[in-house]
Amino acid sequence: QKKILQEGNVLMRYGEPPAIYDSQQSIAIEQRLLAYLYTKGYFKAQVNSEVKLRDQKATVTYQIEENQPYVLGELRLNTSDKAIEKLLQDHQQQSLLKKGDQYNQEVLYQERERIDKLLSNHGYFSFNRQYIRFEVDTSAAADAVAIETMIDMPAASQAHPVFEIDRVEWDVDADQSEEAKQEHDTHHNGVTFKHLKRQFRPSVLASKLALCPPQLYRKQDLIETQQRLSRLDIFKHIYI
């Protein structure tokens, strides 16, 4: 009964509550609709609204004319890092930007993620997606956009550094820091195990590592190692 008094009956609770008509708000909605259409390639779209007033109520109708969407035309890569340029060219078939596809801003975000993931699995430990930009030119051709993928360089450098794994250390008893002075080292296949009291087989644990020096740093190896160790179900916490 209290809910009915505060919010009305079931029919009254459907939909949005009444709002005061604001012409400026209507214009803002037009601009948001237009901005959304732009992200989908409708750069020639038009959005208008019509207002009808009756009995102190306003009915607003938005009219959308999409027109012809733009498609992807010329695709270019711009970077002074020759190693990255070659890597991206070697994996060009995996690119999400395909000539002739309708422009979609979401695909650009996905392409940035793809490039970032590709580089993180080829030694580029310090690389991040902030170095990746896209220049979109809608004046290049009729109903087509030219997209230039830009890979920026780190400060005062003409190339991004490539990292190799130098060594792998495993702290088996990391949560027992108060007894650190009693730690021992055990070596197996290039892996150093730090432990207090050996209660494990180094060969078994080492076989679960996808990390082996010297090899290029690959983010997917860290993820794979953590998944393998989790499946053993013998560690409470696993940090890499």
Side-chain angles (χ1 to χ4, degrees):
Q1 184 69 28
K2 183 178 179 180
K3 186 173 184 180
I4 293 177
L5 291 174
Q6 292 178 342
E7 302 178 18
N9 58 33
V10 175
L11 291 177
M12 295 172 66
R13 292 198 294 269
Y14 285 156
E16 297 291 330
I20 302 298
Y21 170 70
D22 185 345
S23 60
Q24 294 301 316
Q25 181 68 15
S26 180
I27 294 174
I29 292 176
E30 287 183 22
Q31 294 173 342
R32 287 200 293 268
L33 289 171
L34 199 58
Y36 174 77
L37 290 169
Y38 285 170
T39 67
K40 301 301 180 182
Y42 295 100
F43 296 110
K44 294 182 179 179
Q46 295 181 352
V47 178
N48 297 295
S49 61
E50 181 181 358
V51 183
K52 293 183 179 180
L53 301 175
R54 182 180 179 182
D55 297 333
Q56 294 186 323
K57 293 182 180 179
T59 300
V60 184
T61 303
Y62 294 93
Q63 300 167 336
I64 299 175
E65 187 176 349
E66 296 175 339
N67 291 314
Q68 185 71 19
Y70 277 60
V71 298
L72 303 188
E74 185 180 3
L75 303 174
R76 300 187 296 266
L77 173 63
N78 187 340
T79 177
S80 60
D81 192 315
K82 299 303 180 183
I84 288 182
E85 180 180 19
K86 184 178 185 307
L87 181 61
L88 294 181
Q89 289 174 345
D90 290 344
H91 292 79
Q92 180 60 35
Q93 293 300 317
Q94 300 173 8
S95 175
L96 302 178
L97 303 180
K98 306 292 184 182
K99 192 172 182 178
D101 285 357
Q102 183 173 332
Y103 174 86
N104 189 334
Q105 193 174 83
E106 181 62 29
V107 176
L108 294 185
Y109 297 148
Q110 295 172 3
E111 177 69 359
R112 178 183 283 114
E113 294 293 324
R114 183 194 71 85
I115 294 174
D116 182 48
K117 182 178 179 181
L118 175 66
L119 296 181
S120 71
N121 288 321
H122 284 79
Y124 292 93
F125 172 77
S126 60
F127 189 90
N128 66 72
R129 66 198 68 175
Q130 301 304 319
Y131 290 112
I132 306 170
R133 295 184 294 113
F134 297 101
E135 294 289 341
V136 180
D137 184 3
T138 60
S139 64
D143 297 333
V145 296
I147 296 183
E148 187 171 25
T149 302
M150 315 277 291
I151 308 295
D152 295 333
M153 295 298 105
S157 177
Q158 291 300 311
H160 286 272
V162 177
F163 290 80
E164 291 185 350
I165 295 178
D166 177 62
R167 63 183 182 275
V168 176
E169 296 181 352
W170 190 329
D171 193 343
V172 182
D173 301 292
D175 58 342
Q176 303 294 327
S177 58
E178 69 276 3
E179 301 179 40
K181 293 182 180 181
Q182 303 176 25
E183 276 194 339
H184 306 283
D185 289 352
T186 298
H187 305 278
H188 183 84
N189 285 354
V191 180
T192 299
F193 293 90
K194 295 180 177 296
H195 57 94
L196 302 177
K197 185 176 181 181
R198 181 169 167 177
Q199 297 176 331
F200 61 92
R201 295 176 59 186
S203 59
V204 173
L205 296 185
S207 68
K208 303 302 178 182
L209 291 174
L211 312 166
C212 183
Q215 69 180 31
L216 280 180
Y217 164 82
R218 301 198 311 170
K219 187 176 181 179
Q220 67 184 32
D221 288 342
L222 271 66
I223 297 173
E224 175 63 23
T225 295
Q226 197 159 28
Q227 290 174 343
R228 291 180 185 179
L229 296 176
S230 296
R231 286 193 290 267
L232 291 176
D233 200 26
I234 60 176
F235 298 108
K236 185 177 181 180
H237 301 293
I238 301 170
Y239 305 100
I240 297 181

